[in-house]
Amino acid sequence: MKIALVGGTGDIGTGFALRWAANHEIIIGSRKADRALESAAAVIKLLGGSGNVWGADNASAIAAADAVVLCVPYEHLASVTSDLRSFYSGQLVISPVVPMSYNGKFFQFVPPKEGSAACQVRSLLPDGMRIVSAFHTISAAALQAQDRELKADVLICADEPEAVEQVSRLAMEVKSLRPLNAGPLQASAMVESLTPMLLNVARKNKIKDAGIRIVSER
Ligand SMILES: NC(=O)c1ccc[n+]([C@@H]2O[C@H](COP(=O)([O-])OP(=O)(O)OC[C@H]3O[C@@H](n4cnc5c(N)ncnc54)[C@H](OP(=O)(O)O)[C@@H]3O)[C@@H](O)[C@H]2O)c1
């Protein structure tokens, strides 16, 4: 696939680029094309000089892609998504975005009126786009540690089974992530709300690069 990482110059974008470059063409997107090119060069260096990774402004990255991952902080999600709406034409859109805030004591889930970041994205993009909500509880630092095996689950919400399947395959390319279907896109709020909980637990209990795994007691 050709995968555009909107805001891919940041933490999670760098992690995805490092983990997916072996099997896909990665287009790092940025508000500034120069910054995207610098990030792409840095990723290629980290990969030891190989990898089909290039950089472009966010609009060009989206227009060139089969799949788009929204790697921007929640505060900028609505503007970035609506400003670039005209560059979408049937791409698979993946949202790892978590709407949350810190009140000085703990992180809390602060969803938009649509109920979740993923449902807000759906409301802002053209009708019929396949939106998938995934990767909210995967630590960017853990993704960036290229050789690290991640024992976490990726909880995925989407309305189209084939879109869930495509994102499950992407998750499985990151050793040893396990994709799990968490329901339709409308259920995304429950998955997104796990991240502030996870960060609170991680801080209180000094757990680095925390993740979530569903266990079976049988
Ligand atoms: N970090 C994690 O561990 C993690 C884990 C799971 C999910 N997530 C989610 O992934 C998303 C990205 O997180 P992150 O930690 O990678 O974020 P980040 O590093 O803080 O920022 C990502 C990129 O957003 C772009 N950006 C910043 N301000 C912007 C603005 N005003 N308008 C448009 N773009 C802007 C920047 O790219 P340019 O300056 O190059 O345009 C920046 O490099 C968030 O929604 C977060 O909830 C993060």
Side-chain angles (χ1 to χ4, degrees):
M1 276 201 287
K2 291 183 185 176
I3 304 176
L5 305 171
V6 171
T9 53
D11 291 333
I12 197 130
T14 303
F16 287 138
L18 288 167
R19 296 289 187 151
W20 289 335
N23 298 330
H24 304 280
E25 181 175 333
I26 305 295
I27 313 159
I28 295 186
S30 169
R31 286 167 294 174
K32 300 239 181 271
D34 287 0
R35 200 163 129 74
L37 289 168
E38 274 169 31
S39 275
V43 166
I44 289 172
K45 195 171 172 198
L46 286 168
L47 289 169
S50 64
N52 191 357
V53 184
W54 54 286
D57 61 275
N58 284 325
S60 307
I62 293 167
D66 308 309
V68 176
V69 190
L70 300 169
C71 302
V72 292
Y74 174 71
E75 310 84 272
H76 313 303
L77 180 69
S79 61
V80 167
T81 308
S82 39
D83 290 354
L84 302 176
R85 187 179 191 272
S86 62
F87 295 92
Y88 286 89
S89 56
Q91 297 91 334
L92 179 74
V93 178
I94 302 169
S95 171
V97 177
V98 180
M100 66 180 186
S101 67
Y102 185 68
N103 65 9
K105 288 189 175 159
F106 60 91
F107 292 96
Q108 54 193 345
F109 184 51
V110 187
K113 67 176 186 331
E114 292 82 358
S116 65
C119 289
Q120 187 177 22
V121 167
R122 180 169 60 186
S123 75
L124 295 169
L125 288 181
D127 286 347
M129 298 285 302
R130 292 159 303 148
I131 317 291
V132 181
S133 184
F135 298 109
H136 312 86
T137 53
I138 305 302
S139 141
L143 279 177
Q144 287 181 24
Q146 291 177 59
D147 299 326
R148 197 182 301 171
E149 262 194 56
L150 309 191
K151 298 176 215 76
D153 290 334
V154 177
L155 302 166
I156 303 174
C157 295
D159 294 335
E160 302 81 7
E162 140 277 337
V164 173
E165 186 53 40
Q166 269 181 295
V167 176
S168 296
R169 282 198 295 270
L170 284 175
M172 284 189 288
E173 287 175 25
V174 179
K175 205 175 172 188
S176 302
L177 286 183
R178 179 177 66 165
L180 292 177
N181 191 327
L185 201 71
Q186 201 74 43
S188 181
M190 286 181 277
V191 174
E192 292 176 19
S193 70
L194 293 174
T195 300
M197 180 278 291
L198 182 61
L199 292 176
N200 292 329
V201 172
R203 277 169 67 103
K204 289 281 178 201
N205 298 278
K206 299 187 171 41
I207 299 169
K208 281 192 179 165
D209 303 345
I212 284 181
R213 189 165 180 88
I214 309 292
V215 298
S216 164
E217 301 294 3
R218 292 193 56 170

